[in-house]
Amino acid sequence: MSWDKVGLPTKLRHWYGDMEVEGYLYTAGIAGEKFFKTLKERGKLLASRCMKCDVSYLPARAYCPSCFSEITEYFEVEPEGNVETYTILRVGVDGEKLEEPVIVAFITFDGVNGGLIHRLGEMDEKDVEIGMRVKAVLKPTDERRGEITDILYFKPA
Amino acid sequence: MKTNIYVKRRVAVVGAGLTLFRRRMLETPKELAWEAAKMALDWAGLELDDVDAVVIGSAPDAFDGVHMKGEYLADGSGGWGRPTMRVYVGGGTGVFTPIAGWWHVASGLFDVVLVVAEEKMSPAQPHPQFVFKHIWDPILERPLNPNLIWIFAMEMHRYMYKYNVRKEDIALVSVKNKRNALDHPAAQLAAKITVEDVLNSEVLVYPVQRLDISPVTDGAAALVMVSEKVARRITDSPVWVEGVGWALDSTQWTNRELAYPKYVEVAARMAYRMAGINNPRKEIDVAEVYDPFDYKELHHMEGLMLARKGEAPILTREGVTERDGDLPVNPSGGLLGVGNPIAAAGLMKVAEIFWQLRGEAGGRQVKKPAYTGLAQAWGDLMQAGTVIVMRAG
């Protein structure tokens, strides 16, 4: 009794099941807590530097994955950087046509390794290009919760 | 079963590391893995640069709530830019991870392998119990709304019935292990309790009571495993991996006599043959036996042939398995006392044997001289057995 010949899966005798975990509680960790606190309270991005390798990481890491040293050197970075690459979403996750295309970019920042994925806004899709300068548009301080969505989007700098 | 015991190279454990075992840790799974891995390297006096390959062990992705957990954990485990793999046999993972580490080295492929096991049980809501639920057959058993404790309760009851075991003797395991854990700096549930405390604790699923069970835990553990050439260079006290064994039974758990874990025996026989052990009860000096429930320590001792069938409760009552006894079992405090971050719990046991055989277990050091030790884990639908035998060099 093969799936293809029957056509609709529900035409086979079947049992419904689901994975009943209601959800997950994730923690941001040692470095992540610092990163989001800085974003919330100071509107800046937090990076960290391995003094042994002289390599910096954004978002901040508590350890160096390259040499395994503990990282204790943290520093703030202005939320302004360059578009490393981008994509334009025309179809949503359920296959629906989006009324407005959404631009998503990988943004790198001056003087640090790593970067962030975020949305671009206040710009026409025709104007976006790799290498362009963008800066973060943040929620007002009292509305920030220490989450990545405290940044609404990045706009042309 | 035929195994080629003429393995290519000897393998030594030269370092071990552990995080705190706690119900809910702030650290991300990667940060936990790094903490344990870093401690293991420091113990061995090695740097990450010395590591050739990495083996990661973690039980279902659904506990941490991160898919492809091996890949996810890689950069906290030293796996960045190195040959790295993840192994997984449910609760048996913690001992299977160093078994995989062993073949990485024994095969001649690598000289220094970092072995890391991590589990965060706290993220899944409302309880990791709901993750365990999906080990059952979705059509045959899940419509009955099973709970993990059901099968343990039925196995425990069958074991008690078949060998006429009293609950008081089973409770002694919980009392012993939680007391042993008082000397473990990472322990979550160390306590001085009595048999009466266990017998008076809430009945969850008869005959399983609250104090018969290990807790929900976050944590990580790590080992450094090296070739003989490296071991001779960096340490005077290597701990040799002398035998490894693993075996699976069917997930159709109604196919077997629950009173005896045959799959553990199969795994143990493989490891003993490789290690040249003919009489485990006499030749094993110290054992870390998987104890997510108190009766499981007894059940597994019998599967490991450290006791005859039905004899483990008697040995326990006579004090043979105490830290100062003739066959100390779970001197660490085990899962009942130290905690149960699934894969990390099994590797914690291997780390304990490493420390015991080196005489580095501090307040947990067993009284008798310990030259040969064993660690065992077990998992999945009561079907996976993993065993490692180690000797002091």
Side-chain angles (χ1 to χ4, degrees), chain A residues 86-123:
Chain A
Y86 69 91
T87 182
I88 301 172
L89 320 182
R90 302 196 185 279
V91 178
V93 286
D94 295 326
E96 80 282 12
K97 184 115 181 124
L98 296 175
E99 284 178 20
E100 288 288 326
V102 176
I103 312 172
V104 176
F106 166 23
I107 302 154
T108 54
F109 301 88
D110 303 337
V112 288
N113 293 89
L116 292 177
I117 304 291
H118 223 293
R119 297 187 195 106
L120 299 186
E122 290 186 40
M123 65 194 303

Side-chain angles (χ1 to χ4, degrees), chain A residues 15 17-31 33 52 57 61-63 65-70, chain B residues 26 28 30-31 34 37-38 47-48 62-65 75-78 80 120 123-125 131 133-134 139 142:
Chain A
W15 284 257
D18 58 7
M19 300 291 258
E20 292 156 46
V21 177
E22 284 172 7
Y24 286 92
L25 296 179
Y26 299 104
T27 57
I30 305 292
E33 279 293 313
K52 191 174 165 196
Y57 299 100
R61 287 170 174 270
Y63 62 90
S66 180
C67 76
F68 256 19
S69 299
E70 183 179 2
Chain B
L26 167 67
T28 60
K30 288 182 198 216
E31 288 172 345
W34 164 72
K38 171 99 170 109
E47 306 260 344
L48 184 55
F63 287 131
D64 291 62
D75 74 43
S77 308
W80 202 11
K120 261 191 111 165
Q125 301 297 310
V131 176
K133 194 164 182 172
H134 301 278
I139 296 168
R142 260 172 51 200

Side-chain angles (χ1 to χ4, degrees), chain B residues 8-299:
Chain B
K8 197 169 170 179
R9 304 202 298 179
R10 290 182 86 191
V11 181
V13 180
V14 293
L18 207 58
T19 65
L20 280 180
F21 280 17
R22 290 292 181 270
R23 172 64 194 252
R24 189 164 280 119
M25 295 287 273
L26 167 67
E27 282 85 347
T28 60
K30 288 182 198 216
E31 288 172 345
L32 288 173
W34 164 72
E35 209 178 294
K38 171 99 170 109
M39 178 177 163
L41 283 171
D42 288 349
W43 205 282
L46 293 174
E47 306 260 344
L48 184 55
D49 268 353
D50 300 317
V51 173
D52 299 325
V54 173
V55 179
I56 296 170
S58 211
D61 292 351
F63 287 131
D64 291 62
V66 179
H67 265 307
M68 305 200 300
K69 209 162 30 163
E71 290 82 342
Y72 164 80
L73 287 169
D75 74 43
S77 308
W80 202 11
R82 287 189 176 77
T84 301
M85 72 174 296
R86 177 235 190 138
V87 295
Y88 165 47
V89 278
T93 305
V95 171
F96 195 66
T97 315
I99 290 175
W102 170 84
W103 78 56
H104 272 61
V105 178
S107 63
L109 265 180
F110 304 105
D111 282 319
V112 180
V113 173
L114 187 54
V115 170
V116 185
E118 182 278 343
E119 215 82 60
K120 261 191 111 165
M121 304 292 286
S122 67
Q125 301 297 310
H127 193 279
Q129 187 64 244
F130 291 91
V131 176
F132 283 116
K133 194 164 182 172
H134 301 278
I135 60 179
W136 274 282
D137 188 291
I139 296 168
L140 207 55
E141 288 156 355
R142 260 172 51 200
L144 300 172
N145 201 20
N147 170 300
L148 187 70
I149 308 176
W150 283 26
I151 53 173
F152 292 102
M154 281 191 274
E155 189 179 73
M156 182 173 178
H157 199 183
R158 181 75 197 162
Y159 176 68
M160 290 169 72
Y161 168 80
K162 179 116 187 205
Y163 301 118
N164 198 22
V165 178
R166 301 181 311 162
K167 188 69 199 290
E168 291 88 316
D169 288 337
I170 292 176
L172 278 170
V173 174
S174 192
V175 173
K176 166 178 72 73
N177 292 2
K178 286 178 187 297
R179 190 180 57 230
N180 283 351
L182 288 166
D183 297 310
H184 202 303
Q188 178 184 3
L189 277 189
K192 208 166 164 40
I193 59 167
T194 63
V195 168
E196 285 67 39
D197 291 333
V198 180
L199 298 180
N200 291 332
S201 65
E202 184 185 5
V203 177
L204 301 177
V205 180
Y206 175 83
V208 175
Q209 294 173 266
R210 175 77 62 192
L211 291 176
D212 292 319
I213 309 188
S214 59
V216 171
T217 311
D218 293 349
L223 292 182
V224 182
M225 303 181 80
V226 302
S227 63
E228 182 164 12
K229 182 178 69 183
V230 173
R232 298 288 184 208
R233 194 178 75 226
I234 66 170
T235 180
D236 293 329
S237 47
V239 171
W240 301 103
V241 177
E242 298 275 300
V244 297
W246 63 100
L248 283 186
D249 202 329
S250 159
T251 57
Q252 192 154 3
W253 57 286
T254 47
N255 75 334
R256 55 184 176 257
E257 169 52 83
L258 294 174
Y260 185 72
K262 182 72 184 173
Y263 47 93
V264 171
E265 183 191 318
V266 174
R269 283 190 188 281
M270 175 177 164
Y272 293 154
R273 179 163 180 266
M274 205 181 289
I277 287 176
N278 298 313
N279 184 344
R281 170 70 182 84
K282 289 271 178 289
E283 294 175 58
I284 300 290
D285 300 314
V286 54
E288 279 285 329
V289 173
Y290 210 60
D291 61 325
F293 288 70
D294 43 13
Y295 83 95
K296 286 304 281 184
E297 175 174 312
L298 307 171
H299 198 241

Side-chain angles (χ1 to χ4, degrees), chain A residues 39-73:
Chain A
L39 183 61
K40 177 173 187 264
E41 292 175 4
R42 303 187 34 87
K44 311 277 191 200
L45 303 177
L46 191 73
S48 66
R49 180 180 288 113
C50 171
M51 303 307 274
K52 191 174 165 196
C53 300
D54 196 24
V55 173
S56 56
Y57 299 100
L58 188 147
R61 287 170 174 270
Y63 62 90
C64 176
S66 180
C67 76
F68 256 19
S69 299
E70 183 179 2
I71 296 183
T72 51
E73 178 82 4

